[in-house]
Amino acid sequence: AESSPPVTPSEVSPTDAVAVIEAHYRDLVDLTAKVVQKNFLKSVDKIQTFDGSLAIKKPGKLRLEYTNGQTIVIDGKEAWFHSTKSAQAIRRTFKDFEQANIPVAFLLGAGAIREDFDVSLPEAGHPLMLDLVPKRKGAAMKKLRLLSDKTGRIIQMIVFDRSGNTSDIRFSDVKEGVGLDDQ
């Protein structure tokens, strides 16, 4: 029997690459991770860095606790923003990660990327980097760049908005299937 030749990176299509990520997150029940988020604000030419811990449980639940005392909680229908500094909580209806300006919430819908985005491979020979452009007209986001490992786990995402700002989010110490409770 002839064995098929090994697949070279140039033969990977955006569809193959995104399918691996979608399959990974479709099967995922929950995860915890450390997060470092760097927001580049073009108008003031400044980078703000936030770090914290993330917990996600499907369907639709997310908790992000930053070390600066800010906490974001999504319960499936609403997003809560709490700050210990200002001792206030803000509640908003949660439609999608972009409208709520919560980039990490993208992971909640990462099992069905192609429904909402056109996908391309920006760099030949880098099959684990994908550029996602929203299909929805009037989206605030210009582009979302994903970097994944070979298993389809997203290790970095960069959000490019229409004003030239970026949010660069890196995930580390990722644990999946940890059995989180709803709290």
Side-chain angles (χ1 to χ4, degrees):
E2 286 183 30
S3 63
S4 58
V7 176
T8 60
S10 62
E11 290 169 24
V12 176
S13 76
T15 309
D16 298 338
V18 78
V20 174
I21 295 174
E22 286 179 333
H24 185 90
Y25 286 92
R26 231 185 342 260
D27 296 342
L28 187 75
V29 178
D30 61 17
L31 71 81
T32 59
K34 288 192 168 55
V35 175
V36 176
Q37 180 170 337
K38 292 184 178 179
N39 296 339
F40 170 69
L41 306 171
K42 190 180 179 189
S43 59
V44 288
D45 196 26
K46 255 202 184 125
I47 293 178
Q48 302 171 316
T49 303
F50 304 95
D51 60 307
S53 55
L54 172 68
I56 283 178
K57 183 176 182 187
K58 284 162 98 177
K61 292 184 173 61
L62 177 148
R63 183 180 185 93
L64 179 57
E65 290 185 50
Y66 290 110
T67 52
N68 68 0
Q70 284 185 310
T71 302
I72 298 170
V73 177
I74 300 172
D75 66 7
K77 296 181 194 72
E78 294 174 323
W80 295 78
F81 301 82
H82 180 261
S83 166
T84 45
K85 273 191 196 131
S86 62
Q88 67 171 0
I90 299 163
R91 182 178 78 174
R92 286 202 205 121
T93 307
F94 182 74
K95 284 200 208 74
D96 61 45
F97 76 97
E98 189 188 25
Q99 159 263 338
N101 197 19
I102 311 171
V104 293
F106 170 80
L107 296 180
L108 290 168
I113 294 169
R114 286 171 286 186
E115 283 178 22
D116 299 312
F117 296 94
D118 292 317
V119 183
S120 63
L121 287 168
E123 288 181 19
H126 202 317
L128 303 176
M129 181 192 290
L130 291 174
D131 277 0
L132 279 50
V133 174
K135 291 180 179 178
R136 191 180 68 210
K137 297 244 183 302
M141 184 174 62
K142 199 164 83 177
K143 181 174 71 180
L144 175 63
R145 174 164 288 176
L146 297 181
L147 280 89
S148 71
D149 64 15
K150 286 184 170 65
T151 69
R153 178 191 286 167
I154 296 167
I155 50 176
Q156 183 183 7
M157 49 193 283
I158 307 169
V159 180
F160 297 82
D161 77 8
R162 300 203 173 280
S163 309
N165 305 312
T166 57
S167 292
D168 181 335
I169 300 133
R170 291 165 198 255
F171 303 96
S172 61
D173 196 17
V174 179
K175 296 180 177 74
E176 298 177 339
V178 285
L180 293 176
D181 63 34
D182 283 351
Q183 293 308 308

